[in-house]
Amino acid sequence: MDYRELSSIFKATLSLRWDPVAVRLLRVGEEKPAEAVEPPVPLRHCQSIIAARRGNCLYLPPRSHACPDGAGILGLVEMSPKLRSGELYLLFKKMPDLATARKMIASRPEFPAGKYRATLVAPLAAAPFEPDVVIFTLWPEQAMWMCCALTYATGERQYFKTSGFNSTCADLVVQPMQSGEMNVSFGCYGARASSEIDDFELYLSVPVPLLEPMARSLLKLSQKSIPEERQKIYLHPVLDRVGSRKPEAGEGAQVEIFIDTERCLGDGLCVAFCPAGVLELVEGAGGQQARAVHPEKCSACYTCAGQCPQRAIQLAYR
Ligand code: SF4
Ligand code: SF4
């Protein structure tokens, strides 16, 4: 898959609001691509990500980096002594004391000064360079599916590292480049105060080798799980419960299960999906149909109602 195809799969399956952003740290000796332009004014690294998700392909050497903290963390420049010492975090009242600030700085992933000579950012679909990482702007439900996509491909849990500081530089570029693993960031003081990331958005950064397996997973997940979740197929019909009462545990069956025999096709999906063995297919006048043979076992999870293609099942609390 090329980057254009990957970008369109992520955008389509997750209904992304913004283009995924490709980021590369330009190595010493590497030429900048002709398509990448230097911005007319210096930008913070976080602002350059926003500019790229709007469609810009940018080249930012150290003189175009407005945030000295970010440029230092990315290995473009030597960090100033005031930032390195933690002193500025105290002035901004973002840390309680120097010892805590220094501990946070010491644990922060960084590249050594001079390792890289510029940053390149562009929409993934049009990136004229090989990205190191791809940054996604997401809301939590989309981030959940990104996690599911990686777990679908690997069977493994994800572990994220973030401090709430130095979001787009340390959390979204250095951390995933050093670890080779996806990382999340909720933004930071600087990124949220100086860019237009919305309050309900967060970032996820994906090292390039993980993109294709995740995209393949999303194609599979979007066949059933993603649309079902978005349709909230297990959402209780809230108004059905007005005036009714949820019995205490141990009172016997909690719910009545209504199966519309006019609609039921007898395909057995509800029987297969019910985790409690409540339902069975029984022979009726017109062939097999679903019946609630053990209603006392029903936990009212709504799985059967959500999975029935005929919308033949309704539940009501007794
Ligand atoms: S899933 Fe619906 S149509 Fe299929 S057997 Fe169950 S109630 Fe009938
Ligand atoms: S609501 Fe859940 S437990 Fe009850 S019959 Fe349907 S699938 Fe089974």
mmCIF file of all heavy atoms in Angstrom, residues 259 263-271 279 281 289-290 304 307-313, ligand 1:
data_model
loop_
_atom_site.group_PDB
_atom_site.id
_atom_site.type_symbol
_atom_site.label_atom_id
_atom_site.label_comp_id
_atom_site.label_asym_id
_atom_site.label_seq_id
_atom_site.Cartn_x
_atom_site.Cartn_y
_atom_site.Cartn_z
ATOM 1 N N ILE A 259 -40.160 -11.772 21.063
ATOM 2 C CA ILE A 259 -39.644 -12.102 19.732
ATOM 3 C C ILE A 259 -40.815 -12.088 18.758
ATOM 4 O O ILE A 259 -41.782 -12.847 18.917
ATOM 5 C CB ILE A 259 -38.938 -13.470 19.725
ATOM 6 C CG1 ILE A 259 -37.774 -13.466 20.730
ATOM 7 C CG2 ILE A 259 -38.411 -13.786 18.322
ATOM 8 C CD1 ILE A 259 -37.065 -14.779 20.897
ATOM 9 N N ARG A 263 -41.618 -11.450 12.170
ATOM 10 C CA ARG A 263 -40.347 -10.987 11.602
ATOM 11 C C ARG A 263 -39.250 -12.047 11.636
ATOM 12 O O ARG A 263 -38.343 -12.026 10.809
ATOM 13 C CB ARG A 263 -39.839 -9.773 12.388
ATOM 14 C CG ARG A 263 -40.661 -8.533 12.182
ATOM 15 C CD ARG A 263 -40.132 -7.412 13.085
ATOM 16 N NE ARG A 263 -40.738 -6.154 12.747
ATOM 17 C CZ ARG A 263 -40.046 -5.049 12.407
ATOM 18 N NH1 ARG A 263 -38.744 -5.085 12.374
ATOM 19 N NH2 ARG A 263 -40.675 -3.948 12.113
ATOM 20 N N CYS A 264 -39.278 -12.915 12.633
ATOM 21 C CA CYS A 264 -38.172 -13.843 12.839
ATOM 22 C C CYS A 264 -37.981 -14.772 11.637
ATOM 23 O O CYS A 264 -38.919 -15.424 11.181
ATOM 24 C CB CYS A 264 -38.410 -14.665 14.100
ATOM 25 S SG CYS A 264 -37.098 -15.869 14.390
ATOM 26 N N LEU A 265 -36.754 -14.826 11.159
ATOM 27 C CA LEU A 265 -36.423 -15.667 10.002
ATOM 28 C C LEU A 265 -35.845 -17.011 10.422
ATOM 29 O O LEU A 265 -35.594 -17.864 9.577
ATOM 30 C CB LEU A 265 -35.369 -14.962 9.132
ATOM 31 C CG LEU A 265 -35.748 -13.616 8.530
ATOM 32 C CD1 LEU A 265 -34.534 -13.007 7.840
ATOM 33 C CD2 LEU A 265 -36.892 -13.789 7.537
ATOM 34 N N GLY A 266 -35.571 -17.171 11.715
ATOM 35 C CA GLY A 266 -34.998 -18.422 12.190
ATOM 36 C C GLY A 266 -33.549 -18.619 11.782
ATOM 37 O O GLY A 266 -33.077 -19.753 11.689
ATOM 38 N N ASP A 267 -32.824 -17.524 11.563
ATOM 39 C CA ASP A 267 -31.421 -17.686 11.149
ATOM 40 C C ASP A 267 -30.495 -18.027 12.316
ATOM 41 O O ASP A 267 -29.345 -18.402 12.117
ATOM 42 C CB ASP A 267 -30.920 -16.430 10.431
ATOM 43 C CG ASP A 267 -31.065 -15.174 11.271
ATOM 44 O OD1 ASP A 267 -31.005 -15.265 12.511
ATOM 45 O OD2 ASP A 267 -31.248 -14.096 10.689
ATOM 46 N N GLY A 268 -30.990 -17.872 13.540
ATOM 47 C CA GLY A 268 -30.225 -18.302 14.708
ATOM 48 C C GLY A 268 -29.123 -17.370 15.153
ATOM 49 O O GLY A 268 -28.319 -17.719 16.028
ATOM 50 N N LEU A 269 -29.056 -16.160 14.588
ATOM 51 C CA LEU A 269 -27.982 -15.241 14.989
ATOM 52 C C LEU A 269 -28.087 -14.889 16.465
ATOM 53 O O LEU A 269 -27.087 -14.839 17.185
ATOM 54 C CB LEU A 269 -28.037 -13.960 14.143
ATOM 55 C CG LEU A 269 -27.431 -14.089 12.746
ATOM 56 C CD1 LEU A 269 -27.679 -12.826 11.948
ATOM 57 C CD2 LEU A 269 -25.942 -14.362 12.842
ATOM 58 N N CYS A 270 -29.308 -14.630 16.921
ATOM 59 C CA CYS A 270 -29.485 -14.265 18.333
ATOM 60 C C CYS A 270 -29.041 -15.415 19.233
ATOM 61 O O CYS A 270 -28.410 -15.204 20.274
ATOM 62 C CB CYS A 270 -30.934 -13.897 18.606
ATOM 63 S SG CYS A 270 -32.092 -15.199 18.120
ATOM 64 N N VAL A 271 -29.350 -16.644 18.824
ATOM 65 C CA VAL A 271 -28.961 -17.827 19.608
ATOM 66 C C VAL A 271 -27.432 -17.901 19.683
ATOM 67 O O VAL A 271 -26.852 -18.141 20.750
ATOM 68 C CB VAL A 271 -29.532 -19.105 18.954
ATOM 69 C CG1 VAL A 271 -29.096 -20.335 19.732
ATOM 70 C CG2 VAL A 271 -31.044 -19.029 18.868
ATOM 71 N N LEU A 279 -31.547 -18.258 24.571
ATOM 72 C CA LEU A 279 -32.374 -18.444 23.373
ATOM 73 C C LEU A 279 -32.077 -19.773 22.691
ATOM 74 O O LEU A 279 -30.952 -20.263 22.711
ATOM 75 C CB LEU A 279 -32.090 -17.293 22.390
ATOM 76 C CG LEU A 279 -32.277 -15.890 22.976
ATOM 77 C CD1 LEU A 279 -31.611 -14.849 22.095
ATOM 78 C CD2 LEU A 279 -33.753 -15.569 23.144
ATOM 79 N N LEU A 281 -33.473 -22.123 19.006
ATOM 80 C CA LEU A 281 -34.366 -22.230 17.856
ATOM 81 C C LEU A 281 -35.304 -23.400 18.099
ATOM 82 O O LEU A 281 -34.860 -24.492 18.456
ATOM 83 C CB LEU A 281 -33.566 -22.471 16.571
ATOM 84 C CG LEU A 281 -32.819 -21.268 15.992
ATOM 85 C CD1 LEU A 281 -32.064 -21.686 14.740
ATOM 86 C CD2 LEU A 281 -33.762 -20.109 15.685
ATOM 87 N N GLN A 289 -37.895 -21.019 14.623
ATOM 88 C CA GLN A 289 -37.896 -19.628 15.080
ATOM 89 C C GLN A 289 -37.261 -19.547 16.463
ATOM 90 O O GLN A 289 -37.197 -20.544 17.192
ATOM 91 C CB GLN A 289 -39.318 -19.078 15.138
ATOM 92 C CG GLN A 289 -39.902 -18.843 13.743
ATOM 93 C CD GLN A 289 -41.048 -17.887 13.760
ATOM 94 O OE1 GLN A 289 -41.973 -18.063 14.559
ATOM 95 N NE2 GLN A 289 -41.002 -16.882 12.897
ATOM 96 N N ALA A 290 -36.794 -18.357 16.792
ATOM 97 C CA ALA A 290 -36.130 -18.177 18.090
ATOM 98 C C ALA A 290 -37.158 -18.096 19.208
ATOM 99 O O ALA A 290 -38.240 -17.528 19.041
ATOM 100 C CB ALA A 290 -35.298 -16.903 18.065
ATOM 101 N N CYS A 304 -28.659 -9.793 21.602
ATOM 102 C CA CYS A 304 -29.554 -10.439 20.634
ATOM 103 C C CYS A 304 -30.332 -9.390 19.843
ATOM 104 O O CYS A 304 -30.443 -9.481 18.616
ATOM 105 C CB CYS A 304 -30.513 -11.391 21.354
ATOM 106 S SG CYS A 304 -31.447 -10.591 22.669
ATOM 107 N N GLN A 307 -28.021 -7.741 17.320
ATOM 108 C CA GLN A 307 -27.525 -8.568 16.221
ATOM 109 C C GLN A 307 -28.629 -9.053 15.290
ATOM 110 O O GLN A 307 -28.344 -9.471 14.175
ATOM 111 C CB GLN A 307 -26.766 -9.778 16.785
ATOM 112 C CG GLN A 307 -25.456 -9.422 17.474
ATOM 113 C CD GLN A 307 -24.432 -8.812 16.524
ATOM 114 O OE1 GLN A 307 -24.428 -9.085 15.328
ATOM 115 N NE2 GLN A 307 -23.562 -7.960 17.054
ATOM 116 N N CYS A 308 -29.869 -9.022 15.738
ATOM 117 C CA CYS A 308 -30.956 -9.536 14.888
ATOM 118 C C CYS A 308 -31.134 -8.639 13.655
ATOM 119 O O CYS A 308 -31.438 -7.449 13.788
ATOM 120 C CB CYS A 308 -32.272 -9.584 15.667
ATOM 121 S SG CYS A 308 -33.665 -10.047 14.609
ATOM 122 N N PRO A 309 -30.960 -9.194 12.467
ATOM 123 C CA PRO A 309 -31.095 -8.362 11.263
ATOM 124 C C PRO A 309 -32.526 -7.923 11.007
ATOM 125 O O PRO A 309 -32.771 -6.996 10.250
ATOM 126 C CB PRO A 309 -30.592 -9.288 10.143
ATOM 127 C CG PRO A 309 -30.808 -10.674 10.655
ATOM 128 C CD PRO A 309 -30.656 -10.604 12.149
ATOM 129 N N GLN A 310 -33.472 -8.609 11.650
ATOM 130 C CA GLN A 310 -34.890 -8.322 11.432
ATOM 131 C C GLN A 310 -35.449 -7.345 12.469
ATOM 132 O O GLN A 310 -36.621 -7.001 12.405
ATOM 133 C CB GLN A 310 -35.689 -9.632 11.517
ATOM 134 C CG GLN A 310 -35.442 -10.585 10.388
ATOM 135 C CD GLN A 310 -36.027 -10.036 9.105
ATOM 136 O OE1 GLN A 310 -35.293 -9.497 8.269
ATOM 137 N NE2 GLN A 310 -37.337 -10.133 8.942
ATOM 138 N N ARG A 311 -34.619 -6.983 13.423
ATOM 139 C CA ARG A 311 -35.101 -6.156 14.544
ATOM 140 C C ARG A 311 -36.355 -6.809 15.150
ATOM 141 O O ARG A 311 -37.365 -6.151 15.430
ATOM 142 C CB ARG A 311 -35.392 -4.715 14.104
ATOM 143 C CG ARG A 311 -34.146 -3.971 13.659
ATOM 144 C CD ARG A 311 -33.265 -3.662 14.846
ATOM 145 N NE ARG A 311 -31.992 -3.073 14.502
ATOM 146 C CZ ARG A 311 -30.821 -3.752 14.434
ATOM 147 N NH1 ARG A 311 -30.793 -5.047 14.666
ATOM 148 N NH2 ARG A 311 -29.702 -3.153 14.156
ATOM 149 N N ALA A 312 -36.266 -8.132 15.337
ATOM 150 C CA ALA A 312 -37.436 -8.899 15.792
ATOM 151 C C ALA A 312 -37.497 -9.007 17.310
ATOM 152 O O ALA A 312 -38.492 -9.498 17.845
ATOM 153 C CB ALA A 312 -37.405 -10.299 15.174
ATOM 154 N N ILE A 313 -36.425 -8.597 17.993
ATOM 155 C CA ILE A 313 -36.376 -8.826 19.443
ATOM 156 C C ILE A 313 -36.486 -7.504 20.197
ATOM 157 O O ILE A 313 -35.803 -6.524 19.858
ATOM 158 C CB ILE A 313 -35.064 -9.543 19.838
ATOM 159 C CG1 ILE A 313 -34.948 -10.867 19.074
ATOM 160 C CG2 ILE A 313 -35.011 -9.767 21.346
ATOM 161 C CD1 ILE A 313 -33.699 -11.661 19.383
HETATM 162 S S1 SF4 B 1 -31.671 -13.162 15.005
HETATM 163 FE FE1 SF4 B 1 -33.728 -12.373 14.713
HETATM 164 S S2 SF4 B 1 -34.416 -13.340 12.824
HETATM 165 FE FE2 SF4 B 1 -32.631 -14.492 13.524
HETATM 166 S S3 SF4 B 1 -33.520 -16.181 14.756
HETATM 167 FE FE3 SF4 B 1 -33.059 -14.504 16.168
HETATM 168 S S4 SF4 B 1 -34.974 -13.344 16.303
HETATM 169 FE FE4 SF4 B 1 -35.115 -14.638 14.515
#
